[in-house]
Amino acid sequence: MNTYIANFLDSSCKSFDLYSSNKGLISSERFLDIDDLKNLDNSSLLVVLIPSILITSYQNLKNTGLSEDINLANFISDIDNKIVDQISYNEFLFHEKNAFIINKVILEDLNKSLTQLDINIILMPEYSFFRHENDEDVIFELNNKFIFSNSDGTGTSVSRDNLEQYCQIISEFKDCYDPVIYSKHKFLKAKYPHSSFVTSGLEGFFNQDFKRFPNFYEFYLSYQSVKRKFNFTIAQLFIILIGLSSFFFLPSMLIKNNNNNALVYKKATFDIFTAINQDIKKVVRPRSQIDSIMNQIPLDKVNNVELPSLGFLDQVGDEYLDRIYVNFNDSTVVIDISGMPLMQYNLTKNLSQQFGVGILNEEVLSPNNIVSGTITLSLLNE
């Protein structure tokens, strides 16, 4: 797999230098637009470096006991006074112990452009790329600017004209600052005489473990990006379009069809009731119909209905009753008994007269003094 490094020349993120390595030899070529890289092999890896001026970084130790939203709110509250434009204009990105802030439009435009490339992409701040694997401070000279990659994961870059001024600022905040320096600049050698100066340049960074770096690239979903990424034919795109249309519209069609069927069913039900009774104006719920019918029954007829006394069933014992069938027309009760002690059965028979109950028929067996079978009782209305 070939690895390429794209370093933008300015904050417009248009023209850039593309670096590649071949057996340790670094070559570079200048391009005017990301689209010019469409011919790269799809197995290639492209590392795109975001200019430091576009993305700021902070140390940020997340509280694992809090949700992502609360951690984000706490971070924004901590650095609110350091953000020039409105909070909503920015994207807040997190990686390990660092938080990064970049304008949403800039990040979206970068992802839109990179999505057109059919290759593996890593999008990260330029100072993150030059972070030392041993978490040492690094100063790297690249394309007439000096990139400062700090041991805490933060960083920035300055031009040659601002190098001395920025180093003076560092001296005011850091007493012991001895970075690893990838430059031959005379000022740096005089300023940091105890630092390690590395003569090799970019070649040592092509074989890094890129998984340890932040990657802010996201595939930008659009018709053109999907078509290019998956190389669909016209027929395949047509099938996908039909599938998506079915996914969005079929549920609505099914609901509409069910509603239509319900209306047809309701009308047919109404027609049936109308055929039975011409006075019916509408079809209501069955329970409402039953309530309406019950309300039409004369109260004097209801009051004449007398129920037989069933109080004796409490004396029999519910646990021994399998089934009870009451015939109110002839005031009889058929009871299936199972496992009742013979003494309790005889006692129940003796007490039955007190409740107005007569035994008409007994079909029971009592092996081992346990009664099981069926008895038929006669009830007397009060």
Side-chain angles (χ1 to χ4, degrees):
M1 179 178 67
N2 297 323
T3 301
Y4 299 90
I5 300 172
N7 180 51
F8 292 107
L9 301 180
D10 52 47
S11 59
S12 66
C13 295
K14 293 298 182 182
S15 57
F16 60 93
D17 286 337
L18 184 70
Y19 298 90
S20 60
S21 176
N22 184 13
K23 297 180 180 180
L25 298 177
I26 302 299
S27 60
S28 65
E29 186 176 357
R30 183 155 295 183
F31 292 87
L32 300 179
D33 196 276
I34 289 290
D35 287 344
D36 297 336
L37 302 180
K38 290 181 179 179
N39 294 326
L40 290 180
D41 191 315
N42 57 12
S43 63
S44 300
L45 173 64
L46 176 65
V47 180
V48 181
L49 306 182
I50 304 174
S52 300
I53 194 174
L54 299 178
I55 181 167
T56 54
S57 57
Y58 299 88
Q59 281 188 286
N60 178 65
L61 186 60
K62 283 187 177 182
N63 186 338
T64 56
L66 302 177
S67 66
E68 293 291 332
D69 291 338
I70 295 178
N71 273 297
L72 174 59
N74 290 339
F75 169 70
I76 294 176
S77 177
D78 291 339
I79 53 89
D80 184 32
N81 59 340
K82 300 178 182 179
I83 300 178
V84 178
D85 52 5
Q86 294 186 25
I87 296 293
S88 59
Y89 292 170
N90 297 285
E91 191 75 36
F92 298 89
L93 309 166
F94 298 90
H95 177 74
E96 294 182 350
K97 297 180 180 180
N98 295 105
F100 302 86
I101 305 176
I102 184 173
N103 184 275
K104 287 183 177 180
V105 175
I106 293 174
L107 183 62
E108 182 177 311
D109 289 343
L110 283 171
N111 281 319
K112 280 182 180 179
S113 300
L114 295 172
T115 295
Q116 306 306 313
L117 307 179
D118 190 19
I119 56 177
N120 301 306
I121 296 172
I122 296 178
L123 180 64
M124 72 172 81
E126 56 187 2
Y127 47 80
S128 295
F129 178 76
F130 295 104
R131 185 177 179 182
H132 200 277
E133 59 182 3
N134 295 326
D135 290 336
E136 297 181 80
D137 296 315
V138 173
I139 300 177
F140 195 98
E141 182 180 1
L142 179 67
N143 194 25
N144 295 321
K145 66 180 177 182
F146 294 86
I147 300 171
F148 289 77
S149 180
N150 301 324
S151 59
D152 61 4
T154 62
T156 188
S157 65
V158 297
S159 64
R160 285 180 177 269
D161 295 337
N162 296 321
L163 176 61
E164 295 185 20
Q165 182 181 1
Y166 186 74
C167 288
Q168 182 60 36
I169 295 175
I170 294 178
S171 299
E172 295 176 1
F173 288 94
K174 291 186 177 182
D175 295 332
C176 299
Y177 183 69
D178 296 313
V180 178
I181 300 176
Y182 292 82
S183 174
K184 298 179 181 179
H185 198 278
K186 294 180 179 180
F187 170 77
L188 292 177
K189 288 185 176 181
K191 179 69 175 178
Y192 306 109
H194 302 295
S195 295
S196 300
F197 284 83
V198 183
T199 56
S200 61
L202 272 174
E203 57 268 21
F205 291 89
F206 273 85
N207 299 319
Q208 296 187 87
D209 179 13
F210 294 105
K211 293 181 180 179
R212 69 187 182 94
F213 294 128
N215 186 5
F216 302 141
Y217 169 70
E218 288 186 2
F219 182 82
Y220 188 82
L221 186 63
S222 66
Y223 170 77
Q224 291 297 334
S225 63
V226 172
K227 182 179 178 182
R228 174 180 291 275
K229 193 72 175 179
F230 297 100
N231 197 23
F232 289 129
T233 63
I234 298 299
Q236 289 172 330
L237 287 173
F238 183 71
I239 293 173
I240 292 174
L241 182 61
I242 292 177
L244 290 175
S245 300
S246 300
F247 177 79
F248 287 109
F249 295 109
L250 272 180
S252 299
M253 294 174 61
L254 291 174
I255 293 173
K256 183 178 180 181
N257 185 55
N258 287 337
N259 291 336
N260 290 336
N261 290 337
L263 290 174
V264 172
Y265 175 79
K266 184 176 180 180
K267 184 179 183 302
T269 306
F270 178 77
D271 292 341
I272 292 173
F273 276 83
T274 302
I276 297 173
N277 188 343
Q278 297 293 331
D279 294 331
I280 292 179
K281 302 300 181 183
K282 64 178 180 178
V283 178
V284 295
R285 293 178 299 173
R287 182 170 181 177
S288 300
Q289 294 174 355
I290 294 173
D291 292 340
S292 177
I293 294 172
M294 292 295 294
N295 291 332
Q296 296 176 19
I297 298 177
L299 293 178
D300 57 341
K301 293 184 179 180
V302 175
N303 293 334
N304 290 333
V305 178
E306 296 183 358
L307 298 178
S309 173
L310 300 177
F312 76 95
L313 293 178
D314 294 334
Q315 303 297 326
V316 176
D318 295 342
E319 66 272 21
Y320 304 116
L321 305 182
D322 285 348
R323 184 177 67 92
I324 300 175
Y325 173 74
V326 181
N327 189 334
F328 290 102
N329 293 327
D330 55 10
S331 296
T332 61
V333 178
V334 178
I335 303 175
D336 290 341
I337 299 175
S338 176
M340 178 182 290
L342 180 60
M343 182 179 294
Q344 183 172 347
Y345 176 71
N346 291 329
L347 180 62
T348 301
K349 288 172 57 178
N350 294 331
L351 294 175
S352 62
Q353 294 297 328
Q354 299 179 15
F355 293 94
V357 176
I359 299 177
L360 298 179
N361 185 36
E362 292 182 76
E363 297 180 4
V364 297
L365 298 175
S366 57
N368 299 323
N369 295 323
I370 299 299
V371 179
S372 297
T374 302
I375 61 173
T376 303
L377 308 178
S378 175
L379 303 177
L380 300 177
N381 288 338
E382 296 178 355

